């Protein structure tokens, strides 16, 4: 199954990414990955670091002549800011007295960051050993890995998109049909243009106050086939896997599958997604609503998979909060490290990457294949079985000899569109 690992520190030489178990024959190149990295760097409320970095993932393994080989895909993203941190982030021990003020130990703890628990857990007397890896800079590596997953999902018609629902107290009211190009053009990735203007004003006011502001993001995955994930074991449930992936993003404090926070106050009859009668055999199992976010029983149900996550205001403040010193325990002002004012817009792109990685893992878990062509055969064979057990056909195919004769309809006899348990190669009758 598809999995990934990242390495690297915020001001180190760069970030490393390895993505495993991507099938052979998938077209991909650095330009495609670069588009998604550039999207992550945009967004109103970003800090000065984005003026320094121009992220580009150099593919160093797993791809030849523009297609994947089936072997691990290795990538490297260089940190341009490394030039200013060579001494402070040197791999080798520093001989003599440090020359750069950046080499000084960080001991003023920042409330809301990983500083204190990280220092206690790993026995550090310098908080920089924690904050360099816990920095959101690492999410650039996730976006590079996620771009590979997105490219794989695209081969099978699956699209993963995102938009901002709120920043601070400003809430968007997007249309039922979202204009995704308008979202890409919006500085705050908001589908509601009027709300977007108020969001930018909220970010400006927050910056003037030396503060930070959070928000809520929605991820929407369309054309996801029914049956990814499983109900049989807790760790295979797709909604649990998506939730964990989104919760792992820096500063995320809550995740909802679908509009989960809203529906808990309603009654069951108002919440469940009623299944519509099947009138089109190519689009079975449609729903009147999608209140459950495209999942039931830990599996995708064929509706768009939607998830929302709340990202707290960033912990690093221009006007630092009172805190304590790691060495003395005495009161000090918290350390200040250059940061953004609002992370909600770029968090959209990170959220897309994490959901894509989970879906790619579940997709390959379900359909397998060492090459894209093999995976496609498996996928298309499965899709032929997804529908009512009895569907209109010119001839009768019983699931087994004990199956009752199906009812007759206007189009003729009813076909068994699920594969026989006794003969997986059973040919399916043509529809009328």
């Amino acid at each position: 199954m598809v999995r990934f690992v990242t390495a690297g520190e915020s001001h180190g030489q760069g970030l490393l990414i390895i993505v495993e178990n991507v099938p052979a024959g998938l077209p991909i190149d650095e330009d495609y990955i670069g588009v998604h990295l550039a999207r992550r760097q945009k967004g109103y409320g970003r800090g000065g670091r984005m003026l320094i970095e121009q992220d580009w993932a150099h593919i160093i393994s797993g791809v030849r002549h523009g297609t994947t080989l089936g072997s691990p895909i290795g990538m490297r993203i260089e940190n341009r800011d490394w030039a200013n941190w060579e001494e402070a982030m040197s791999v080798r021990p520093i001989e003599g007295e440090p020359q750069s003020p950046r080499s000084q130990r960080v001991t003023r703890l920042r409330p809301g960051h990983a500083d204190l628990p990280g220092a206690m857990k790993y026995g550090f007397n310098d908080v920089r050993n924690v904050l360099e890896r816990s920095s959101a800079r690492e999410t650039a590596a996730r976006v590079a890995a996620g771009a590979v997953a997105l490219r794989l999902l695209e081969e099978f018609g699956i699209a993963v998109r995102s938009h901002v629902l709120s920043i601070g107290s400003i809430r968007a009211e997007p249309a039922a049909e979202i204009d995704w190009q308008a979202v890409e053009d919006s500085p705050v990735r908001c589908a509601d243009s009027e709300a977007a203007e108020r969001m930018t004003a909220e970010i400006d006011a927050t910056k003037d106050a030396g503060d930070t502001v959070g928000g809520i993001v929605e991820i929407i995955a369309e054309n996801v086939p029914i049956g990814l994930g499983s109900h049989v074991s807790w760790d295979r449930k797709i909604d649990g896997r998506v939730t964990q992936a989104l919760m792992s993003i820096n500063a995320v404090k809550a995740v909802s599958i679908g509009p989960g926070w809203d529906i808990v106050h309603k009654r069951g009859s108002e919440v469940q997604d009623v299944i519509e009668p099947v009138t089109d055999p190519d689009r079975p199992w449609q729903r009147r609503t999608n209140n459950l976010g495209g999942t039931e029983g830990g599996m995708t149900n064929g509706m768009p998979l939607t998830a929302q996550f709340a990202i707290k205001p960033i912990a690093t403040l221009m006007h630092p909060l009172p805190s304590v010193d790691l060495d003395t325990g005495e009161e000090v002002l918290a350390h200040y490290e250059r940061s953004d004012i609002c992370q909600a817009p770029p968090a959209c792109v990170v959220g897309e990457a994490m959901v894509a990685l989970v879906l790619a893992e579940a997709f390959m878990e379900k359909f397998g294949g060492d090459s894209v062509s093999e995976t496609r055969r498996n996928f298309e064979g499965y899709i032929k079985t997804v529908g009512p057990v009895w569907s209109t056909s010119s001839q009768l195919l019983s699931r087994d000899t004990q199956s009752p004769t199906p009812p007759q309809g206007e189009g003729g006899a009813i076909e068994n569109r699920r594969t026989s348990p006794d003969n997986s190669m059973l040919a399916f009758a043509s529809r009328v």
Side-chain angles (χ1 to χ4, degrees):
M1 54 187 174
V2 176
R3 69 189 190 99
F4 79 105
V5 63
T6 72
E9 284 72 48
S10 179
H11 298 102
Q13 297 177 49
L15 302 170
L16 300 176
I17 310 100
I18 295 178
V19 186
E20 293 186 312
N21 300 321
V22 176
L26 177 70
I28 194 163
D29 57 29
E30 294 178 355
D31 290 338
Y32 178 88
I33 298 169
V35 168
H36 292 284
L37 288 172
R39 293 172 65 233
R40 173 193 165 275
Q41 290 194 263
K42 297 177 181 178
Y44 203 76
R46 301 297 321 254
R49 181 73 182 271
M50 294 303 100
L51 300 176
I52 299 173
E53 304 296 347
Q54 292 183 358
D55 292 339
W56 190 263
H58 299 276
I59 300 175
I60 60 176
S61 69
V63 177
R64 182 171 185 260
H65 299 164
T67 59
T68 57
L69 301 175
S71 53
I73 299 171
M75 294 177 280
R76 181 184 72 251
I77 300 174
E78 295 180 1
N79 286 335
R80 289 192 171 193
D81 208 14
W82 157 252
N84 301 313
W85 290 80
E86 287 193 36
E87 181 189 79
M89 294 301 297
S90 171
V91 174
R92 296 176 179 274
I94 299 175
E95 298 181 0
E97 288 297 318
Q99 301 300 306
S100 170
R102 291 189 172 97
S103 299
Q104 295 178 359
R105 287 194 303 125
V106 176
T107 61
R108 291 180 294 149
L109 303 170
R110 294 171 298 172
H113 219 295
D115 298 1
L116 177 58
M120 295 297 99
K121 176 178 175 64
Y122 291 98
F124 293 139
N125 67 357
D126 184 353
V127 172
R128 184 158 301 285
N129 291 340
V130 178
L131 67 86
E132 283 290 329
R133 179 59 182 172
S134 66
S135 165
R137 175 66 182 152
E138 184 266 350
T139 61
R142 300 197 200 192
V143 170
V148 177
L150 286 166
R151 182 73 274 282
L152 175 61
L153 295 174
E154 286 175 358
E155 286 289 307
F156 301 92
I158 302 170
V160 183
R161 300 185 175 97
S162 64
H163 64 120
V164 169
L165 284 174
S166 71
I167 289 179
S169 62
I170 311 302
R171 177 85 183 191
E173 296 293 339
E177 294 293 329
I178 294 176
D179 182 343
W180 292 110
Q181 186 55 54
V183 171
E184 294 296 324
D185 294 339
S186 168
V188 288
R189 293 192 60 81
C190 182
D192 179 345
S193 59
E194 187 276 331
E197 292 183 3
R198 292 188 287 126
M199 288 176 181
T200 57
E202 174 70 11
I203 293 172
D204 288 338
T206 301
K207 182 177 181 180
D208 291 342
D211 217 325
T212 59
V213 64
I216 297 175
V217 167
E218 183 173 52
I219 309 295
I220 302 175
E222 297 176 308
N223 299 323
V224 180
I226 191 171
L228 300 188
S230 178
H231 67 285
V232 303
S233 185
W234 69 269
D235 57 343
R236 293 178 62 190
K237 292 177 179 284
I238 196 68
D239 35 13
R241 292 155 72 173
V242 168
T243 300
Q244 194 278 333
L246 292 174
M247 187 66 81
S248 75
I249 299 171
N250 306 59
V252 171
K253 301 303 290 184
V255 178
S256 164
I257 300 299
W261 297 311
D262 299 328
I263 64 176
V264 295
H265 304 294
K266 298 180 180 180
R267 292 187 175 180
S269 58
E270 301 175 278
V271 170
Q272 313 310 325
D273 298 318
V274 172
I275 306 170
E276 299 277 37
V278 177
T279 58
D280 181 354
D282 292 326
R283 300 180 69 249
W285 317 131
Q286 295 298 300
R287 308 298 182 104
R288 294 181 186 176
T289 57
N290 192 24
N291 293 322
L292 303 183
T295 71
E296 288 171 321
M299 295 165 285
T300 55
N301 65 10
M303 293 295 285
L305 187 151
T306 67
Q308 299 177 14
F309 63 89
I311 187 165
K312 72 176 182 179
I314 300 164
T316 302
L317 305 175
M318 287 189 288
H319 295 166
L321 293 173
S323 186
V324 297
D325 185 88
L326 180 65
D327 288 343
T328 66
E330 296 177 352
E331 183 174 350
V332 293
L333 290 178
H335 174 70
Y336 174 70
E337 193 89 2
R338 178 181 55 203
S339 71
D340 300 337
I341 303 302
C342 180
Q343 285 187 330
C348 282
V349 183
V350 182
E352 289 176 8
M354 296 308 296
V355 170
L357 285 158
V358 170
L359 290 179
E361 178 187 47
F363 191 92
M364 294 305 297
E365 180 182 274
K366 170 66 178 169
F367 302 111
D370 295 312
S371 66
V372 171
S373 58
E374 182 182 1
T375 303
R376 192 182 309 282
R377 289 194 299 272
N378 298 340
F379 171 70
E380 291 175 350
Y382 170 75
I383 291 301
K384 292 178 181 178
T385 72
V386 174
V389 174
W390 305 111
S391 119
T392 304
S393 174
S394 59
Q395 69 181 64
L396 175 66
L397 285 178
S398 297
R399 181 158 30 180
D400 53 48
T401 56
Q402 301 302 315
S403 298
T405 302
Q408 301 293 309
E410 293 181 0
I414 304 300
E415 169 201 14
N416 177 3
R417 296 182 65 243
R418 292 215 175 95
T419 306
S420 166
D422 299 321
N423 184 3
S424 61
M425 299 303 291
L426 181 66
F428 293 95
S430 60
R431 303 187 185 97
V432 289

